[in-house]
Amino acid sequence: MYAGALYVSKVEHQISKENEMKTLDIIVAVLLVVGGLNWGLVGLFDFNLVATLFGTSLVATIVYVLVGLSALYQVLSLKGIQRRWGVQRG
């Protein structure tokens, strides 16, 4: 019985961790959309939405850094993201 309970606990922990990672995946996707839209606005209309909303403040810098880190996370974690979301290549 102890081994069974330990296995269930381990599976529950794995599911919890997977759900946390999916939440991170969603946050990263949102940040990438924000960054992409901002760059699109800059390219099309010379309008920087992040700078308009936050100026040249620390908050704007944090947004830019988070978008950059999100892109890096996406590139380095692509296989894990595909596995978590059940996406098959090919």
Side-chain angles (χ1 to χ4, degrees):
M1 182 76 177
Y2 177 75
L6 184 60
Y7 176 76
V8 169
S9 175
K10 199 171 191 179
V11 168
E12 287 174 348
H13 175 72
Q14 182 65 24
I15 291 170
S16 173
K17 183 175 179 182
E18 196 125 327
N19 286 338
E20 289 173 11
M21 293 305 293
K22 279 188 171 185
T23 300
L24 180 61
D25 294 341
I26 292 168
I27 292 168
V28 164
V30 167
L31 284 166
L32 289 174
V33 168
V34 167
L37 290 173
N38 194 58
W39 276 112
L41 290 170
V42 169
L44 290 171
F45 306 112
D46 197 27
F47 176 73
N48 187 331
L49 181 61
V50 173
T52 299
L53 292 175
F54 304 113
T56 56
S57 69
L58 179 61
V59 175
T61 301
I62 290 170
V63 169
Y64 295 133
V65 169
L66 288 175
V67 168
L69 290 174
S70 294
L72 189 60
Y73 168 82
Q74 194 83 323
V75 168
L76 296 176
S77 303
L78 187 58
K79 288 188 186 266
I81 292 168
Q82 289 174 336
R83 181 185 46 75
R84 279 191 293 280
W85 291 89
V87 176
Q88 302 294 325
R89 289 191 70 191

